[in-house]
Coordinates of all heavy atoms in Angstrom, one line a residue:
M1 N 0.1 -5.5 -6.9 CA 0.8 -4.3 -7.1 C 0.5 -3.4 -5.9 O 1.2 -3.4 -4.9 CB 0.5 -3.7 -8.4 CG 0.8 -4.6 -9.6 SD 2.5 -5.1 -9.6 CE 2.4 -6.3 -10.9
L2 N -0.5 -2.5 -6.1 CA -0.9 -1.7 -5.0 C -2.0 -2.5 -4.2 O -3.2 -2.4 -4.4 CB -1.5 -0.4 -5.5 CG -0.5 0.6 -6.0 CD1 -1.3 1.8 -6.6 CD2 0.4 1.1 -4.9
S3 N -1.5 -3.3 -3.3 CA -2.4 -4.2 -2.5 C -2.0 -4.2 -1.1 O -0.9 -3.7 -0.7 CB -2.3 -5.6 -3.1 OG -1.0 -6.2 -2.9
P4 N -2.8 -4.8 -0.2 CA -2.4 -4.8 1.2 C -1.2 -5.7 1.4 O -0.5 -5.5 2.4 CB -3.6 -5.5 1.8 CG -4.8 -5.3 0.9 CD -4.1 -5.2 -0.5
G5 N -0.8 -6.5 0.5 CA 0.4 -7.3 0.6 C 1.6 -6.7 0.2 O 2.7 -7.2 0.4
N6 N 1.6 -5.5 -0.3 CA 2.8 -4.7 -0.7 C 3.2 -3.9 0.4 O 2.6 -2.9 0.8 CB 2.4 -3.8 -1.9 CG 3.6 -3.2 -2.5 OD1 4.7 -3.1 -1.9 ND2 3.5 -2.7 -3.8
P7 N 4.4 -4.2 1.0 CA 4.9 -3.5 2.2 C 5.5 -2.2 1.9 O 5.8 -1.5 2.8 CB 5.9 -4.5 2.8 CG 6.4 -5.2 1.6 CD 5.3 -5.4 0.7
Y8 N 5.5 -1.8 0.7 CA 6.2 -0.5 0.3 C 5.1 0.6 0.1 O 5.5 1.7 -0.2 CB 7.1 -0.7 -0.9 CG 8.0 -1.8 -0.8 CD1 7.9 -3.0 -1.4 CD2 9.1 -1.7 0.1 CE1 8.8 -4.0 -1.2 CE2 10.0 -2.7 0.3 CZ 9.8 -3.9 -0.3 OH 10.7 -4.9 -0.1
V9 N 3.9 0.3 0.2 CA 2.9 1.3 -0.2 C 2.8 2.4 0.9 O 2.9 3.6 0.6 CB 1.5 0.7 -0.3 CG1 0.4 1.7 -0.5 CG2 1.5 -0.2 -1.6
L10 N 2.7 2.1 2.1 CA 2.6 3.1 3.2 C 3.8 4.0 3.3 O 3.7 5.2 3.3 CB 2.3 2.4 4.6 CG 2.2 3.4 5.7 CD1 1.0 4.3 5.5 CD2 2.0 2.6 7.0
P11 N 5.0 3.4 3.3 CA 6.2 4.3 3.4 C 6.3 5.2 2.1 O 6.6 6.4 2.2 CB 7.4 3.4 3.4 CG 6.9 2.1 3.9 CD 5.5 2.0 3.5
S12 N 5.9 4.7 1.0 CA 6.0 5.5 -0.2 C 5.0 6.7 -0.2 O 5.2 7.8 -0.6 CB 5.8 4.7 -1.5 OG 6.8 3.8 -1.7
V13 N 3.8 6.4 0.3 CA 2.7 7.4 0.4 C 3.2 8.5 1.4 O 3.0 9.7 1.1 CB 1.4 6.8 0.8 CG1 0.4 7.8 1.2 CG2 0.9 5.9 -0.4
L14 N 3.7 8.1 2.5 CA 4.2 9.1 3.5 C 5.3 9.9 2.9 O 5.3 11.2 3.1 CB 4.6 8.4 4.8 CG 3.6 7.6 5.5 CD1 4.2 6.9 6.7 CD2 2.5 8.6 6.0
V15 N 6.3 9.3 2.2 CA 7.3 10.1 1.6 C 6.8 11.0 0.5 O 7.2 12.2 0.4 CB 8.4 9.2 1.0 CG1 9.4 9.9 0.1 CG2 9.2 8.5 2.1
A16 N 5.8 10.5 -0.2 CA 5.2 11.4 -1.3 C 4.5 12.6 -0.7 O 4.6 13.7 -1.2 CB 4.2 10.5 -2.1
A17 N 3.8 12.3 0.4 CA 3.1 13.5 1.0 C 4.0 14.5 1.6 O 3.8 15.7 1.4 CB 2.2 12.9 2.1
G18 N 5.1 14.0 2.2 CA 6.1 15.0 2.7 C 6.8 15.7 1.6 O 7.0 16.9 1.7
T19 N 7.1 15.0 0.5 CA 7.7 15.7 -0.6 C 6.8 16.7 -1.3 O 7.2 17.8 -1.6 CB 8.2 14.6 -1.7 OG1 9.0 13.7 -1.0 CG2 8.9 15.2 -2.8
Y20 N 5.5 16.4 -1.4 CA 4.6 17.3 -2.0 C 4.5 18.6 -1.1 O 4.5 19.7 -1.7 CB 3.2 16.6 -2.1 CG 2.1 17.5 -2.7 CD1 2.0 17.6 -4.0 CD2 1.3 18.3 -1.9 CE1 1.1 18.4 -4.6 CE2 0.4 19.1 -2.4 CZ 0.2 19.2 -3.8 OH -0.7 20.0 -4.3
L21 N 4.4 18.4 0.2 CA 4.4 19.6 1.0 C 5.6 20.4 1.0 O 5.6 21.6 0.9 CB 4.1 19.2 2.5 CG 2.7 18.7 2.8 CD1 2.6 18.1 4.2 CD2 1.7 19.8 2.5
A22 N 6.8 19.7 0.9 CA 8.1 20.4 0.9 C 8.2 21.2 -0.5 O 8.6 22.4 -0.5 CB 9.2 19.5 1.0
V23 N 7.8 20.5 -1.6 CA 7.9 21.2 -2.8 C 6.9 22.4 -2.9 O 7.2 23.4 -3.5 CB 7.6 20.2 -4.0 CG1 7.4 20.9 -5.3 CG2 8.8 19.2 -4.1
T24 N 5.8 22.2 -2.3 CA 4.8 23.3 -2.3 C 5.3 24.5 -1.5 O 5.1 25.7 -2.0 CB 3.5 22.8 -1.7 OG1 3.0 21.7 -2.5 CG2 2.4 23.9 -1.7
L25 N 5.9 24.3 -0.4 CA 6.3 25.4 0.4 C 7.6 26.0 0.0 O 7.8 27.2 0.2 CB 6.5 24.9 1.9 CG 5.2 24.4 2.6 CD1 5.5 23.8 4.0 CD2 4.2 25.6 2.7
L26 N 8.5 25.2 -0.6 CA 9.9 25.7 -0.9 C 10.1 26.2 -2.3 O 11.1 26.9 -2.6 CB 10.9 24.6 -0.5 CG 10.9 24.2 0.9 CD1 11.9 23.0 1.1 CD2 11.2 25.3 1.9
T27 N 9.2 25.8 -3.2 CA 9.4 26.2 -4.6 C 8.2 26.8 -5.2 O 7.1 26.7 -4.7 CB 9.9 25.0 -5.4 OG1 8.8 24.0 -5.5 CG2 11.1 24.3 -4.9
D28 N 8.3 27.2 -6.5 CA 7.2 27.8 -7.2 C 6.9 26.8 -8.4 O 6.4 27.2 -9.4 CB 7.5 29.1 -7.8 CG 7.6 30.2 -6.7 OD1 7.0 30.0 -5.7 OD2 8.4 31.2 -6.9
V29 N 7.0 25.5 -8.2 CA 6.7 24.5 -9.2 C 5.2 24.5 -9.4 O 4.4 24.6 -8.5 CB 7.3 23.1 -8.7 CG1 6.9 22.1 -9.7 CG2 8.7 23.2 -8.5
S30 N 4.9 24.3 -10.7 CA 3.4 24.3 -11.0 C 2.7 23.1 -10.3 O 3.3 22.1 -9.9 CB 3.2 24.2 -12.5 OG 3.6 22.9 -13.0
L31 N 1.4 23.2 -10.2 CA 0.5 22.2 -9.6 C 0.6 20.9 -10.4 O 0.7 19.8 -9.8 CB -0.9 22.7 -9.6 CG -1.9 21.7 -9.0 CD1 -1.6 21.5 -7.5 CD2 -3.3 22.3 -9.1
L32 N 0.7 21.0 -11.7 CA 0.8 19.8 -12.5 C 2.1 19.0 -12.2 O 2.1 17.7 -12.1 CB 0.8 20.1 -14.0 CG 0.8 19.0 -15.0 CD1 -0.4 18.1 -14.8 CD2 0.9 19.5 -16.4
V33 N 3.2 19.7 -12.0 CA 4.5 19.0 -11.7 C 4.4 18.4 -10.3 O 4.8 17.3 -10.0 CB 5.6 20.0 -11.8 CG1 6.9 19.4 -11.2 CG2 5.8 20.4 -13.2
R34 N 3.8 19.1 -9.3 CA 3.6 18.6 -8.0 C 2.8 17.4 -7.9 O 3.1 16.4 -7.2 CB 3.1 19.7 -7.0 CG 4.1 20.7 -6.7 CD 3.5 21.7 -5.8 NE 2.7 22.6 -6.5 CZ 1.8 23.5 -6.0 NH1 1.6 23.5 -4.7 NH2 1.1 24.3 -6.8
I35 N 1.7 17.4 -8.6 CA 0.8 16.2 -8.7 C 1.4 15.0 -9.4 O 1.3 13.9 -9.0 CB -0.6 16.6 -9.3 CG1 -1.3 17.5 -8.4 CG2 -1.4 15.3 -9.6 CD1 -2.6 18.0 -8.9
G36 N 2.2 15.3 -10.4 CA 2.9 14.3 -11.1 C 4.0 13.6 -10.2 O 4.1 12.4 -10.2
L37 N 4.7 14.4 -9.4 CA 5.7 13.9 -8.5 C 5.0 13.1 -7.4 O 5.4 12.0 -7.0 CB 6.4 15.1 -7.8 CG 7.5 14.7 -6.9 CD1 8.6 14.0 -7.6 CD2 8.1 16.0 -6.3
L38 N 3.8 13.5 -6.9 CA 3.1 12.8 -5.9 C 2.6 11.5 -6.5 O 2.7 10.4 -5.8 CB 1.9 13.6 -5.5 CG 0.9 13.0 -4.4 CD1 1.6 12.9 -3.1 CD2 -0.3 13.9 -4.3
A39 N 2.1 11.4 -7.7 CA 1.6 10.2 -8.3 C 2.8 9.2 -8.5 O 2.6 8.0 -8.3 CB 0.9 10.5 -9.6
F40 N 3.9 9.8 -8.9 CA 5.1 8.9 -9.2 C 5.5 8.2 -7.9 O 5.8 7.0 -7.8 CB 6.2 9.7 -9.8 CG 7.5 8.9 -10.0 CD1 7.6 7.9 -11.0 CD2 8.5 9.1 -9.1 CE1 8.7 7.2 -11.1 CE2 9.7 8.4 -9.3 CZ 9.8 7.4 -10.3
L41 N 5.7 9.0 -6.8 CA 6.2 8.5 -5.6 C 5.2 7.6 -4.9 O 5.6 6.6 -4.2 CB 6.6 9.7 -4.6 CG 7.8 10.5 -5.0 CD1 8.0 11.6 -4.1 CD2 9.1 9.6 -5.0
A42 N 3.9 7.9 -5.0 CA 2.9 7.1 -4.3 C 2.4 5.9 -5.1 O 1.9 4.9 -4.5 CB 1.8 8.0 -3.8
G43 N 2.5 6.0 -6.4 CA 1.9 5.0 -7.3 C 2.9 4.1 -8.0 O 2.7 2.9 -8.1
V44 N 4.0 4.6 -8.5 CA 5.0 3.9 -9.3 C 6.1 3.3 -8.4 O 6.4 2.1 -8.6 CB 5.6 4.8 -10.4 CG1 6.6 4.0 -11.1 CG2 4.5 5.2 -11.3
V45 N 6.6 4.0 -7.5 CA 7.7 3.6 -6.6 C 7.4 2.3 -5.9 O 8.2 1.3 -5.8 CB 8.2 4.7 -5.7 CG1 9.2 4.2 -4.7 CG2 8.8 5.8 -6.6
P46 N 6.2 2.2 -5.2 CA 6.0 1.0 -4.4 C 5.9 -0.3 -5.3 O 6.3 -1.4 -5.0 CB 4.6 1.2 -3.7 CG 4.2 2.5 -4.0 CD 5.2 3.2 -4.9
I47 N 5.3 -0.1 -6.5 CA 5.2 -1.2 -7.5 C 6.6 -1.7 -7.9 O 6.9 -2.9 -7.9 CB 4.3 -0.9 -8.7 CG1 2.9 -0.6 -8.2 CG2 4.4 -1.9 -9.7 CD1 2.0 0.0 -9.3
V48 N 7.5 -0.8 -8.2 CA 8.8 -1.1 -8.7 C 9.6 -1.7 -7.6 O 10.3 -2.7 -7.7 CB 9.5 0.2 -9.2 CG1 11.0 -0.1 -9.5 CG2 8.9 0.7 -10.5
L49 N 9.5 -1.2 -6.3 CA 10.2 -1.7 -5.2 C 9.7 -3.2 -4.9 O 10.5 -4.0 -4.6 CB 10.1 -0.9 -4.0 CG 10.9 0.4 -4.0 CD1 10.5 1.2 -2.7 CD2 12.3 0.2 -4.0
N50 N 8.4 -3.4 -5.0 CA 7.9 -4.7 -4.7 C 8.4 -5.7 -5.7 O 8.7 -6.9 -5.4 CB 6.4 -4.6 -4.8 CG 5.7 -5.9 -4.2 OD1 6.3 -6.5 -3.3 ND2 4.5 -6.2 -4.6
R51 N 8.5 -5.3 -7.0 CA 9.0 -6.3 -8.0 C 10.5 -6.5 -7.9 O 11.0 -7.6 -8.0 CB 8.7 -5.7 -9.4 CG 7.3 -5.9 -9.7 CD 7.1 -5.8 -11.2 NE 5.6 -5.9 -11.5 CZ 5.2 -6.4 -12.6 NH1 6.0 -6.7 -13.5 NH2 3.9 -6.5 -12.7
L52 N 11.3 -5.4 -7.6 CA 12.7 -5.6 -7.4 C 13.1 -6.3 -6.2 O 14.1 -7.2 -6.2 CB 13.4 -4.2 -7.4 CG 13.4 -3.5 -8.8 CD1 14.0 -2.1 -8.6 CD2 14.2 -4.2 -9.8
L53 N 12.5 -6.0 -5.1 CA 12.9 -6.6 -3.8 C 12.1 -7.8 -3.4 O 12.3 -8.4 -2.3 CB 12.8 -5.5 -2.7 CG 13.7 -4.3 -3.0 CD1 13.5 -3.2 -1.9 CD2 15.2 -4.7 -3.1
G54 N 11.1 -8.2 -4.2 CA 10.3 -9.4 -3.9 C 9.4 -9.3 -2.7 O 9.4 -10.3 -1.9
G55 N 8.7 -8.3 -2.6 CA 7.8 -8.2 -1.5 C 6.6 -9.1 -1.7 O 6.4 -9.8 -2.7
G56 N 5.7 -9.2 -0.7 CA 4.5 -10.0 -0.8 C 3.5 -9.5 -1.7 O 3.5 -8.4 -2.2
S57 N 2.5 -10.4 -2.0 CA 1.3 -10.0 -2.8 C 0.1 -10.5 -2.2 O 0.1 -11.4 -1.3 CB 1.5 -10.5 -4.3 OG 1.3 -11.9 -4.3
A58 N -1.0 -9.9 -2.6 CA -2.3 -10.3 -2.0 C -2.6 -11.8 -2.3 O -3.3 -12.5 -1.5 CB -3.4 -9.4 -2.5
D59 N -2.2 -12.3 -3.5 CA -2.4 -13.7 -3.8 C -1.7 -14.7 -2.9 O -2.2 -15.7 -2.6 CB -2.0 -13.9 -5.3 CG -2.9 -13.1 -6.2 OD1 -4.0 -12.8 -5.9 OD2 -2.3 -12.8 -7.3
E60 N -0.6 -14.3 -2.4 CA 0.2 -15.2 -1.5 C -0.4 -15.4 -0.2 O -0.6 -16.5 0.3 CB 1.6 -14.6 -1.3 CG 2.5 -14.7 -2.6 CD 3.8 -14.0 -2.4 OE1 4.1 -13.5 -1.3 OE2 4.6 -14.0 -3.4
W61 N -0.9 -14.3 0.4 CA -1.5 -14.5 1.8 C -2.9 -14.9 1.7 O -3.4 -15.4 2.7 CB -1.4 -13.2 2.6 CG -2.1 -12.0 2.1 CD1 -1.5 -11.0 1.3 CD2 -3.5 -11.6 2.3 NE1 -2.5 -10.1 1.0 CE2 -3.7 -10.4 1.6 CE3 -4.5 -12.2 3.0 CZ2 -4.9 -9.8 1.5 CZ3 -5.7 -11.6 3.0 CH2 -5.9 -10.4 2.3
R62 N -3.6 -14.8 0.6 CA -5.0 -15.3 0.4 C -5.0 -16.8 0.4 O -6.0 -17.4 0.8 CB -5.6 -14.7 -0.8 CG -7.1 -14.7 -0.8 CD -7.7 -14.1 -2.0 NE -7.2 -12.7 -2.1 CZ -7.1 -12.0 -3.2 NH1 -7.3 -12.5 -4.3 NH2 -6.7 -10.7 -3.1
D63 N -3.9 -17.5 0.0 CA -3.9 -18.9 -0.1 C -3.7 -19.6 1.2 O -3.9 -20.8 1.3 CB -2.8 -19.4 -1.1 CG -3.2 -18.9 -2.6 OD1 -4.4 -18.7 -2.8 OD2 -2.2 -18.8 -3.3
D64 N -3.2 -18.9 2.2 CA -2.9 -19.5 3.5 C -4.2 -19.9 4.2 O -5.2 -19.1 4.2 CB -2.2 -18.5 4.4 CG -0.8 -18.2 3.9 OD1 -0.3 -19.1 3.1 OD2 -0.2 -17.2 4.3
P65 N -4.3 -21.1 4.7 CA -5.5 -21.5 5.4 C -5.7 -20.8 6.8 O -4.7 -20.4 7.4 CB -5.3 -23.0 5.7 CG -3.8 -23.2 5.7 CD -3.3 -22.1 4.7
L66 N -6.9 -20.6 7.1 CA -7.2 -19.9 8.4 C -6.9 -20.9 9.5 O -7.2 -22.1 9.4 CB -8.6 -19.4 8.5 CG -9.0 -18.4 7.4 CD1 -10.5 -18.1 7.5 CD2 -8.2 -17.1 7.7
E67 N -6.5 -20.5 10.7 CA -6.1 -21.4 11.7 C -7.3 -22.1 12.3 O -7.3 -23.3 12.6 CB -5.3 -20.7 12.8 CG -3.9 -20.3 12.3 CD -3.2 -19.6 13.4 OE1 -3.5 -19.8 14.6 OE2 -2.2 -18.9 13.1
N68 N -8.4 -21.4 12.6 CA -9.5 -21.9 13.3 C -10.7 -22.2 12.4 O -11.8 -22.2 12.9 CB -9.9 -21.0 14.5 CG -8.8 -20.9 15.5 OD1 -8.1 -21.8 15.7 ND2 -8.7 -19.8 16.2
A69 N -10.5 -22.3 11.2 CA -11.6 -22.5 10.2 C -12.2 -23.9 10.5 O -11.5 -25.0 10.5 CB -11.2 -22.4 8.8
G70 N -13.5 -24.0 10.7 CA -14.2 -25.3 10.9 C -14.1 -25.9 12.2 O -14.4 -27.1 12.4
D71 N -13.6 -25.2 13.3 CA -13.5 -25.7 14.6 C -14.9 -25.9 15.3 O -15.0 -26.7 16.2 CB -12.7 -24.8 15.5 CG -11.2 -24.9 15.2 OD1 -10.9 -25.5 14.2 OD2 -10.4 -24.2 15.9
G72 N -15.9 -25.1 14.8 CA -17.1 -25.1 15.5 C -17.1 -24.1 16.7 O -18.1 -24.1 17.5
D73 N -16.1 -23.4 16.9 CA -16.0 -22.4 18.0 C -16.6 -21.1 17.7 O -16.5 -20.2 18.5 CB -14.5 -22.2 18.4 CG -13.9 -23.5 19.0 OD1 -14.7 -24.3 19.4 OD2 -12.6 -23.6 18.9
G74 N -17.2 -21.0 16.5 CA -17.7 -19.7 16.1 C -19.0 -19.3 16.8 O -19.3 -19.7 17.9
D75 N -19.9 -18.6 16.0 CA -21.1 -18.2 16.6 C -22.2 -19.2 16.6 O -23.4 -18.9 16.9 CB -21.6 -16.9 15.8 CG -20.7 -15.7 16.1 OD1 -20.1 -15.7 17.2 OD2 -20.6 -14.9 15.2
E76 N -21.9 -20.4 16.2 CA -23.0 -21.5 16.1 C -23.5 -21.8 17.5 O -24.7 -22.2 17.6 CB -22.4 -22.8 15.5 CG -22.0 -22.6 14.1 CD -20.5 -22.3 13.9 OE1 -19.8 -22.4 14.9 OE2 -20.2 -21.8 12.8
S77 N -22.8 -21.6 18.5 CA -23.2 -21.9 19.9 C -24.3 -20.9 20.4 O -24.9 -21.2 21.4 CB -22.1 -22.0 20.9 OG -21.4 -20.8 20.9
R78 N -24.4 -19.8 19.8 CA -25.4 -18.8 20.3 C -26.7 -18.9 19.5 O -27.5 -17.9 19.6 CB -24.8 -17.4 20.1 CG -23.5 -17.2 20.9 CD -23.1 -15.8 21.0 NE -22.9 -15.2 19.7 CZ -23.0 -13.9 19.4 NH1 -23.1 -13.1 20.4 NH2 -22.9 -13.5 18.2
E79 N -26.9 -19.9 18.8 CA -28.2 -20.0 18.0 C -29.4 -20.1 19.0 O -29.3 -20.8 20.0 CB -28.2 -21.3 17.1 CG -27.2 -21.1 16.0 CD -27.2 -22.3 15.1 OE1 -28.1 -23.2 15.3 OE2 -26.3 -22.4 14.2
A80 N -30.4 -19.4 18.7 CA -31.6 -19.4 19.6 C -32.7 -20.4 19.1 O -32.8 -20.7 18.0 CB -32.2 -18.0 19.6

């Protein structure tokens, strides 16, 4: 849900921050309403978009094999 594999988290957080600032500067809405709007836009919207539009998840990219795993090209050659 809120994972590195969810491509909608960063845009949603940026939109939520901008909306929070705009609502703070332009209206007299209470702090509770502003924080609720921020939490909705940054927390709920990316999860819903990820489910509706089929974005990636952390489980999907974690299963991919590493390209150079086991080559012996790592730090083993620097052993003293």
